[in-house]
Every structure is written in C-alpha cells, then in structure tokens.
C-alpha cells in the first residue's frame, strides 16, 4: 500500500428504518425513526465514525409508495419522515466531517428556493452539503403541485437543465471575495463582484442575485441518479457523483466507461465525475449468518406491499390482475423512471422470475446491487468493482437500522482500510475535498 | 404580584447585525454576522437566557432593499443572510426552550413545501416552531419567480387564504395517534386516521397527505404582520400572534380592540390572538447614555441608504427627484405594504417632517415604536401599553447586535420580572404552551 493508492468513496444512504421494505417490522428496529432526531443523530455519528464521505437522503414531495387504498398503504413503513434539508441543517450542528446530501426535485421546486437552501446549508455545515438532483417519477407528487399527471420524462429533463443553469448562476451571484465590510467608507461589498443573473428562459425568469453568499464549496456537490438516456446526458453535464443501479459488473463497467466518455462532450474531466453504484449489503460473521439475517427480513414481507413495491419500480404499471406465479409480460412505456423499469424487466426475463419471485428479489436492493456474506466477502465484492473500472465508490444501503450500518462500519470498513482501499481519516474539511473534486470557479468572475 | 398576573410575551426579532440601517458600521458590530452560525447561536442562547418566547426571523426571497444600481446597493449591510428555515433547524439543536419563528411567503411558495418544512422544524425543535405568514411586498422578489411585477395586494391575500386552508389541512393529514407501528400484524398506521386533503381551488390543487406526522404543536404557531384591511381580516381568521407597527398608544389601542373584535366573526376567542407590536429600544444606563448610543448610529447613516430605506417603506414609490428639505407629497397607491406606506405618510404629515427628517426617523424602527432611555424608562413604556389594552407583548428589535439584545436581557428583562410582568422561567415545553395558546384539534378527526 502506498500513500497515493486510489481511495474508494462511500455514501451512507440512510432512510429510517432501513432499505428493506419490511425493515420496520424487524424486532431490533425502532419503527418511528423517520421522525426521531436523536435516532438520526446517532446514525450520522456512526457513519462519521466509519469515515463515510457523506450521508445521503432520498426524498419525495408526497407519498411515493404505490397503493390502491388507505388500507393497503397502512401496511407500509417509511411513509413519514423529516424533510431532508431541515434534518440535514440540524445534523450539521452535531457532526463535523461527514458530507450531508439531500435530494431535491427540479420538477416541483423553484430554482431560487433550491439555490438558497443549499447555499445556506453549505454555510451552516462549513462546506459539507450535497444536492442530489432528481426530476421525480410519480404522479402522486405531481398531484400535490397542481397537476394530475407528472410532466413527461423529456419535459422534466428540459426543465432540469434550465434549472441547473439558474441555480449555478445564482450561486455565482457573488464572487468569493465580494464582501468588503468596510465600515469607514460605508462600502459593504465591491459592486464589480456582484453578478445579476437576469435569466429568461423557457421555464423560468430569474433576475437574482441570491441573498446568500457564495457557498463555501463554490457549489454544493452535485449528485444525480438518472440512468435513462436523458439522465445520462444530464449527468455527463452536471453530476459530480452518480448514484447508479447495476447488478452485474459487466453492466456497471459499460456504464462507467460510457459516462466518463460522455463527460468529454461537456469539456469536463472524467475524474471529476465519480460513479457510485448503490449496494445493499447483508452482513454476517459468516455467510450462513448473513443468509439467516436476510431470511428474517424476507419472512416479514407483506405480499401486498411486495407487489406494490414492484409496481412502483416498474413505473406504476398495474400488474395486480396477473397471477403471482406468472411471468412478467412486456410493459408499456412509463413516464416514471424508465431506466429502473428496464433494469427490473430485464432481470425478470434473464432469470425467468415469476412476479412473486421478482417482488421478493427487490424488497431490499430495489434493483441495486445485492451483496451478502461475511465482511471479507463483502469487501471482496466492493474491491472487485472498484479495481475493475466499474465504480469509484459505493452508496451503501443498509437493510435495517442501525444494525446494518453498524455492521458495515464495525466490520467492513476496517477490512477495506486494511486493504488500503479506504481512508482512516478525513483528508479535507469539505465534502468536495474529501471526494477529491475541484472547487468550481465563478463563471462570471 | 399573584401567581396568575397576566404575563407579557416577548419576541426577539434578530436580523444580523441589528435593526438600525447603519448597524453594520458600528464599531462593536461583526458586520458579517448574517452568515455566521456561531454568531446566531450566541444570540439565540442569549435570548433564551432572557426567557424570550421566541426568536423571530424576517425573510425575503430576494434582496428587498430599494436600490438604483449596484453601487448604491453596495452601501447597504444586511443583504445576505442564512435562509431562515435552515438556520432555525440548526438552532433547534443548540437551544431548548425558545420558540423559533421563520417568515415564509405564501406568494412565492407552494403550500406542500411550506407545510412540510414547518412540520419538520416543529418535530426537530420538539414543538417550538412558528410561521410568520407574509404575502411579500416587493417586485424584486417577484422577479426571482418568473414575474415582472408582484401580484396585486388583493390577489396575494386571496392566494394566502387558500394557502392557509391547504397548509392546515396538510398538517391534519394524520391524527395525533394515527401511527400504530404494529410489527405483529404488519399495520403501520390506522387507515381511519389518515385524511387525504383532495383540495381543488382557485390557485392550487393538492391531494395530500403530508409525508410528515402531525406537528407536535398540532400546528406551528401562526404569526402574521399585515395591517391593511385585508391583512387584518386575514389575521382575524388565522393569526395567533400579530406583529404590528404602531407609534402611539392610541393607535395601538384602537388596533388592539378592533382586531380582538374581528376574531369573533371567525368564531375565534380573542385571547387566542396575541397582539405584539414591534419595539425598537435604545437602552442606556441613563437617558443621556441612550441618546448618545443612538447618535453614534445616526451619524453612520449614508444619505443614499436612508433615502432608499424610506423609498422601500413607502412601497417603492420613487421620491429621488424631490429635494431632501421638502415635505412629502401625496403618494400614489402601492401594491406593496399599504399599511406601512400609510403609517409613514401620516407620521410625516402629522409631525411636519421633511424627507430628510423622515428618513432619519425610520433608520431604526422603520415605522415601529421607538423607545429610548434607561431600563426602567423602557420597562415603564412597555408596561403602559401592556396594561392598557394596547399590547399582549412586544417583538423587540435591537438596534445593533449583540449589544442591543444583551442590554435588553441584562437590564430590561430583570426589571420586567421584578414588576411581575414577565416570566422568570419557561412555563411549558412548546412555543404554544409558553404563549398560552390552545393546541388546535384536528379538523378531520
């Protein structure tokens, strides 16, 4: 091991009480953790002990669960949770090093609000904020924002592109050294270092400037998860961390190679785009113990919930009329997540899974990579992808909390550290520094 | 003094680095406090030491300062600041008792976001959140949200009324005891205690439910400041704390009597609406010391800034062509704050002030009540309004920070406590309990 060995990046994706759809029913789980600050605080501190680059929170502006009626919905956990930007603003105070990445939708927000809230969070956290940019994928969210159906996939991405131009432009309203605070002359800032945006586009007109100083990181770290054609093109232009879903190393390598190449068309350097696939790890001291842990969770899956989960992943395509032991038919196009629909459909076809097999296979990883075994087995599997150009790191999705996170921090992280693949302490002060990403220069300076 | 003597309520209205327009130039002031969390933390802790009911933060979604060009703007302080909901989410962690009230606009937000963020803040703070509802008053803000001019005063209030119905409806999505977390039966909540909103109105369609549990306080405390006819009617229906601007006890008594009466038409009880006028206190050990402190600030006022401030208070009516020593002419109607325009205009007329006199008179209090003198003089003046049906409490607006706040906490609060007018310790756990306000029942239960 040399001092300069390439280092794996790790995100802790922590929706209370865990990623497995039945996590809340697990005997060791606090089922109301989603609204418990002390619970989240202890998770964040544990992830920070594990030297994770960032804590990652997903988000929906509505209940995104696919359900037919209230009775069916009442069988799901993880329906209510803190709004992520408020939660991360609180967690900023009790943590020191870990990055704080929140999801926020470009489809159901105005760019001025998003620019401002993330700039504010970046200052509150001393440069540790990240923004996971999503275009949202459910009609349920649209229905909380004056629409019956979500805008088309294409429209959402067009809006997202303009949204990014505005948000980054607002972050550059003030140059880093714009403020003089000159009490004697009465000059608060240097007028030449203030840049009005005066944006007028297809979706938005935004004059600026932002009423928050430039984020400490220049921009918060931009994270993105879309993997459709539009999603990849968007990522190539804007993303600094890409949270992908792949099940085989071949798929992952193809994506990795392709996306790094696509960055060139936007004059970006491939090393400024980190590919971090999601990984759902079930960890035991032995393979057998891990399998036993997984079986406990699988036994707790309510069939209605399993089917609802699958329906959601397929882009809200209704399959409730089909027998559970039948194969999945060809699916109509969705305006939801086209890449996830495709991934799940191909999995079913390639492995010959019935609908029941299929929903039982997505209860935890939801299409992401599923690894199960002892700490060294897990480390082997992460190392394989990391050293073979399939990943720059991983977004870890613990099955249930806090145990799934504790297992990873206590057993897998030390193993990765022993192998020289992962930091023993934070390298920098900001999320951007820890991820090894450049600080963006002000586009107007 | 009996145990049940009526108690004064106090808000600490704390825009860094203070309310006086030249505060940032004061020698003892940290001019970049608006973006400094440690600074805000120490203010919040000081206000909590002083047993203030709440910390109050104003807000604009843009730079609301009236300015002609960048050069003129560069002479203003207080241009950049934390976004208040993120800031209060951070402050929630470092404080225990003080209420945390943020301003949020109904004109430039969607109700789902506002309902969610305040519900989340209410949980993060263990029931200490308040929402100061504003309709916003500047075109500068409209121009950050796809508009050239702000919607008319009437339209803004129509929208605000519908907005409140939706937000309170979303807060009532879940009954207080809706969640069962029944691991054995797999029932996460009782479906009869979930209420879909299904709102469809003139401005909004919102299906619900909220993806956050009901706020600990039922609803965050609703604060409102509008004093126009529309504003008063809105306050009578929705406000629990009214932040008003009055300069004489007669004006304040008239308002007090009138607004308490107006609550009856909405079947509300007058004691559930607290009238808390703004007070700008300049405190010295003696009257002379207070006057000297004020003179220091007044000497630091840049004439351009003073005139810009006055222009903004008059509703962005341009008066730059008028000589500074002339009287204010009759003003055209504004779509900004009509009540503030009227108040300032009447002050000028009644006192025969020139434009220069007038801007120098609004540099601190901005039309709110201005009190200056020793701690006991200040206490006398607060007591007079409090015991004569002009106020239930006050929103204290320190001239510069932290000194203006320290002076109030160290010298005026003990005087009010000695007189039995103000608490020596917090009565309750939540902001609502400290203010003596009822917890709203769920409208759908």
């Amino acid at each position: 091991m040399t001092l300069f060995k390439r280092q794996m990046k790790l995100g802790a994706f922590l929706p209370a009480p865990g990623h497995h759809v039945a996590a809340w029913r697990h005997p060791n789980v606090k089922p109301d953790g989603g609204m418990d600050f002390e619970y989240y605080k202890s998770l964040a501190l544990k992830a920070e002990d594990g030297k994770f680059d960032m804590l990652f929170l997903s988000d929906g502006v509505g209940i995104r669960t696919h359900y037919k009626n209230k009775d069916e919905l009442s069988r799901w956990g993880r329906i209510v949770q803190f709004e992520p930007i408020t939660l991360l603003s609180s967690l900023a105070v009790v943590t020191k090093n870990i990055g704080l990445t929140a999801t926020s939708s470009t489809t159901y927000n105005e760019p001025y609000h998003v620019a401002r809230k993330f700039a504010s969070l970046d200052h509150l956290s001393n440069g540790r904020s990240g923004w996971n940019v999503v275009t949202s994928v459910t009609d349920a969210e649209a229905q909380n924002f004056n629409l019956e159906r979500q805008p088309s996939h294409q429209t959402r991405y067009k809006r997202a592109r303009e949204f990014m131009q505005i948000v980054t432009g607002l972050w550059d309203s003030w140059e880093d050294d714009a403020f003089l605070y000159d009490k004697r002359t009465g000059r608060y800032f240097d007028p030449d270092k203030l840049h009005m945006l005066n944006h007028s586009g297809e979706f938005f007109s935004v004059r600026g400037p932002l009423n928050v100083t430039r984020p400490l990181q220049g921009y918060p770290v931009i994270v993105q998860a879309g993997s459709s054609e539009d999603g990849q093109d968007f990522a190539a232009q804007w993303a600094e961390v890409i949270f992908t879903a792949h099940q085989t190393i071949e798929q992952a390598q193809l994506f990795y190679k392709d996306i790094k190449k696509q960055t060139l068309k936007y004059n970006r350097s491939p090393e400024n785009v980190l590919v971090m696939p999601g990984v759902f790890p079930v960890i035991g001291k032995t393979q057998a113990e891990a399998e036993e842990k997984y079986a406990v969770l699988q036994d707790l899956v309510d069939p209605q919930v399993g089917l609802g989960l699958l329906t959601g992943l397929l882009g809200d395509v209704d399959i409730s009329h089909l027998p559970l032991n039948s194969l999945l038919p060809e699916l109509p196009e969705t305006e939801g997540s086209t890449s996830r629909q495709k991934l799940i459909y191909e999995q079913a076809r390639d492995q010959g899974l019935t609908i029941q097999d299929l929903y039982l296979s997505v209860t935890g990883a939801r299409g992401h990579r599923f690894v199960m075994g002892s700490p060294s087995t897990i480390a082997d599997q992460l190392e394989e992808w990391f050293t073979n150009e399939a990943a720059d790191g991983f977004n870890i999705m613990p099955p249930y909390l806090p145990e799934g996170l504790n297992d990873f921090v206590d057993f897998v992280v030390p193993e990765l550290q022993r192998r020289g693949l992962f930091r023993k302490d934070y390298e920098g002060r900001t999320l951007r520094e820890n991820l090894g990403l450049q600080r963006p220069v002000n586009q107007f300076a």
Side-chain angles (χ1 to χ4, degrees), chain A:
Chain A
M1 170 189 171
T2 78
L3 199 60
F4 301 100
K5 188 161 173 175
R6 178 170 160 259
Q7 296 288 292
M8 188 182 285
K9 306 303 174 190
L10 290 177
F13 181 5
L14 302 180
H19 279 273
H20 194 281
V21 76
W24 75 271
R25 297 182 70 183
H26 191 282
N28 301 350
V29 158
K30 186 174 183 332
D32 60 346
M35 297 291 320
D36 179 342
F37 177 68
E38 290 301 320
Y39 172 90
Y40 260 109
K41 177 179 165 181
S42 67
L43 294 178
L45 291 174
K46 186 71 187 183
E48 195 166 65
D49 275 352
K51 314 298 177 198
F52 273 90
D53 288 86
M54 63 182 172
L55 192 158
F56 178 95
L57 296 178
S58 57
D59 190 48
V61 283
I63 289 178
R64 294 179 296 168
T65 297
H66 181 92
Y67 63 99
K68 283 218 189 58
N69 51 46
K70 290 186 200 178
D71 186 81
E72 198 174 304
L73 181 64
S74 75
R75 303 186 161 277
W76 286 72
R78 231 174 92 181
I79 294 168
V80 287
Q81 57 190 6
F82 288 116
E83 185 281 327
I85 299 178
T86 48
L87 174 58
L88 293 187
S89 299
S90 291
L91 290 174
V93 179
V94 295
T95 54
K96 280 220 157 51
N97 295 291
I98 194 165
L100 302 166
T101 295
T103 298
S104 209
S105 169
T106 54
T107 302
Y108 304 113
N109 276 295
E110 288 286 327
Y112 199 89
H113 288 310
V114 170
R116 202 170 163 229
K117 289 194 160 72
F118 279 95
S120 194
L121 175 60
D122 202 58
H123 285 285
L124 287 166
S125 63
N126 292 313
R128 293 186 285 132
S129 74
W131 171 26
N132 179 40
V133 183
V134 298
T135 66
S136 304
V137 293
T138 67
D139 289 334
E141 290 162 283
Q143 288 158 11
N144 290 327
F145 293 87
N146 315 316
L147 300 171
E148 282 197 35
R149 303 239 164 277
Q150 60 184 333
S152 73
H153 195 270
Q154 195 190 13
T155 303
R156 296 205 307 277
Y157 272 101
K158 267 176 91 175
R159 179 181 161 113
R161 286 195 177 83
E162 189 179 334
F163 202 106
M164 292 308 294
Q165 278 178 14
I166 299 168
V167 168
T168 53
L170 288 170
W171 284 333
D172 286 335
S173 294
W174 307 91
E175 294 185 28
D176 292 317
D177 59 351
F179 290 89
L180 306 169
Y181 314 116
D182 189 337
K183 292 182 180 186
R184 196 182 52 78
T185 62
R187 189 72 80 176
Y188 198 70
F189 64 86
D190 177 348
D192 292 335
K193 296 186 175 175
L194 160 60
H195 304 284
M196 304 297 288
L197 185 64
N198 290 320
H199 172 92
S200 176
E202 183 181 347
F203 294 90
F204 303 105
S205 296
V206 180
R207 180 164 174 253
L210 200 64
N211 55 1
V212 178
T213 56
R214 193 162 192 256
L216 274 181
Q217 296 185 98
Y219 306 162
V221 172
I222 305 296
V223 184
Q224 204 259 0
S227 294
S228 64
E229 201 177 312
D230 266 339
Q232 286 190 39
D233 185 67
F234 182 92
Q237 184 175 5
W238 293 108
E240 299 177 282
V241 171
I242 307 183
F243 173 33
T244 58
H246 300 296
Q247 297 183 349
T248 67
I249 189 167
E250 293 78 20
Q251 288 170 347
Q253 285 171 325
L254 260 177
F255 178 88
Y256 188 93
K257 194 171 168 185
D258 199 46
I259 198 78
K260 296 260 176 179
K261 205 172 97 189
Q262 286 188 61
T263 59
L264 299 174
K265 99 181 141 194
Y266 291 104
N267 287 317
R268 297 181 67 206
S269 165
E271 65 268 24
N272 278 315
V273 180
L274 303 171
V275 178
M276 293 172 64
V279 172
F280 175 85
V282 182
I283 307 162
K285 290 200 180 59
T286 60
Q287 184 73 27
E289 193 189 272
E291 285 173 15
E292 205 175 300
K293 280 189 184 181
Y294 185 59
V296 168
L297 286 165
Q298 289 291 78
D299 281 349
L300 294 169
V301 176
D302 184 308
Q304 272 190 344
V305 170
L307 199 61
L309 176 68
L310 178 58
T311 307
L313 290 169
L314 294 174
D316 285 338
V317 173
D318 190 11
I319 49 168
S320 60
H321 55 288
L322 300 171
L324 289 181
N325 61 357
S326 67
L327 297 176
L328 199 63
E330 285 217 35
L331 298 169
E333 224 172 89
T334 177
E335 288 296 343
S337 173
T338 54
S339 60
R340 190 58 55 93
Q341 185 197 52
K342 183 160 171 274
L343 187 148
I344 305 282
Y345 176 76
E346 287 175 358
Q347 183 194 347
R349 189 195 55 198
D350 297 351
Q351 301 174 21
L353 302 178
T354 65
I355 288 174
Q356 184 173 29
D357 296 336
L358 191 60
Y359 83 62
L360 282 170
S361 81
V362 294
T363 48
R366 291 175 164 75
H368 287 276
R369 186 178 181 203
F370 181 1
V371 295
M372 179 155 64
S374 68
S376 69
T377 314
I378 305 277
D380 288 346
Q381 297 189 62
L382 300 184
E383 184 171 5
E384 187 195 6
W385 282 33
F386 178 66
T387 54
N388 287 290
E389 301 201 326
D392 296 310
F394 303 95
N395 210 4
I396 303 301
M397 303 164 61
Y400 58 104
L401 295 166
E403 273 185 31
L405 175 65
N406 293 348
D407 286 349
F408 195 91
V409 169
D410 296 338
F411 304 115
V412 181
V413 165
E415 181 63 30
L416 294 171
Q417 288 168 333
R418 259 192 299 278
R419 299 182 188 190
L421 295 168
F422 188 61
R423 69 167 65 87
K424 289 186 172 159
D425 209 348
Y426 289 99
E427 300 87 3
R429 294 163 311 124
T430 68
L431 173 55
R432 196 168 274 289
E433 285 169 4
N434 287 320
L435 289 171
L437 295 168
Q438 284 183 336
R439 186 175 188 278
V441 295
N442 191 313
Q443 63 193 291
F444 305 125

